[in-house]
Amino acid sequence: MKIQHSKIKVTLIVILILYTFSCSESLPPYEEPEVIFEYNFYLIGNQAWIPYPQNFPVLTRFTFDFRHLFDETLTGEYYRRGYIDIWLVDNPAVKKHFEFLNYNPKINSILDPGEWYNYRYFWDQTFDDGSILYEHLSSIPIAPSPGNPDAPPPPPVSINLKAKGEIQILKEYNKAVFDEIEFTVYYYIPPPGKVSDKNDISGKKH
């Protein structure tokens, strides 16, 4: 009987030692699960009227579309941070750089898996040097004379640009950097009555 009791005591001691060692080991640090985002970066709308309307700046709209491929809903404080660079294809020194940060801790951002969301940024076509996009056109289309109302409108003039950018969705996740995109902005003579003839685009900064 004493031998049997001794075996039981030894077994209990071994179990106690193993339990003590297991409790003394520190837990590994918590790591956020890897969340993969799918993004698109592109332009919405690429035309403007000539004459350039007063007090009505032409806006070029850039859109970041995104969705996450994680299997759970993501939540966090509303946070959108990034930048966009824009420059002329024929003259890269004429450029625009702007950064954005929209952060509101009072808004809870909810992103469901597989759903597309978007963030848009509007550019007023003004560059860092103060010039306006239309001032870099190679020519200005001329409207038909009032005495010839049936004349077809002149073809649009265009200007080529490039842009690139990055965006971060929620502070907990990595930013996404986009390859540059190339796009064209077209300027048209408006149909009669669309824009006042008193607004002359040439040389004016409205």
Side-chain angles (χ1 to χ4, degrees):
M1 295 293 294
K2 289 183 179 181
I3 295 175
Q4 187 70 20
H5 282 300
S6 297
K7 289 182 178 181
I8 293 173
K9 287 181 180 179
V10 170
T11 302
L12 290 174
I13 291 172
V14 171
I15 292 173
L16 181 61
I17 292 172
L18 292 175
Y19 178 77
T20 301
F21 275 111
S22 64
C23 290
S24 63
E25 293 179 358
S26 60
L27 294 174
Y30 174 76
E31 294 183 1
E32 288 282 350
E34 182 180 3
V35 177
I36 299 175
F37 279 87
E38 181 179 356
Y39 295 90
N40 293 311
F41 174 52
Y42 58 95
L43 188 76
I44 295 180
N46 63 341
Q47 66 181 34
W49 299 114
I50 294 176
Y52 195 74
Q54 287 181 331
N55 303 318
F56 188 74
V58 177
L59 299 177
T60 300
R61 296 169 291 172
F62 292 95
T63 295
F64 298 91
D65 286 354
F66 59 91
R67 66 175 175 174
H68 72 83
L69 306 180
F70 193 49
D71 57 0
E72 297 179 9
T73 296
L74 302 180
T75 61
E77 297 173 337
Y78 184 89
Y79 184 86
R80 306 287 187 267
R81 185 209 62 79
Y83 74 85
I84 299 176
D85 284 330
I86 308 165
W87 63 96
L88 296 178
V89 170
D90 294 336
N91 188 3
V94 179
K95 59 186 183 299
K96 176 67 177 182
H97 173 81
F98 48 79
E99 300 180 1
F100 55 85
L101 173 59
N102 285 351
Y103 172 51
N104 191 337
K106 296 181 180 180
I107 296 179
N108 188 35
S109 185
I110 301 175
L111 304 177
D112 291 322
E115 294 290 331
W116 281 102
Y117 300 88
N118 66 67
Y119 179 84
R120 293 181 180 178
Y121 200 92
F122 296 84
W123 175 44
D124 64 359
Q125 297 192 357
T126 301
F127 292 101
D128 288 337
D129 62 5
S131 65
I132 300 175
L133 180 59
Y134 68 70
E135 297 176 338
H136 298 277
L137 292 171
S138 59
S139 63
I140 301 293
I142 300 175
S145 65
N148 190 13
D150 297 328
V157 294
S158 62
I159 190 166
N160 297 322
L161 302 100
K162 289 186 177 182
K164 65 179 181 179
E166 74 173 35
I167 191 170
Q168 183 176 3
I169 306 297
L170 302 178
K171 290 190 294 184
E172 294 82 2
Y173 304 107
N174 293 334
K175 61 189 177 183
V177 180
F178 298 91
D179 295 332
E180 65 183 40
I181 60 173
E182 184 168 347
F183 61 96
T184 303
V185 175
Y186 296 90
Y187 285 85
Y188 293 83
I189 290 293
K194 182 70 176 181
V195 178
S196 169
D197 293 337
K198 295 180 180 179
N199 298 327
D200 182 8
I201 189 174
S202 302
K204 290 189 176 180
K205 298 180 180 179
H206 299 299

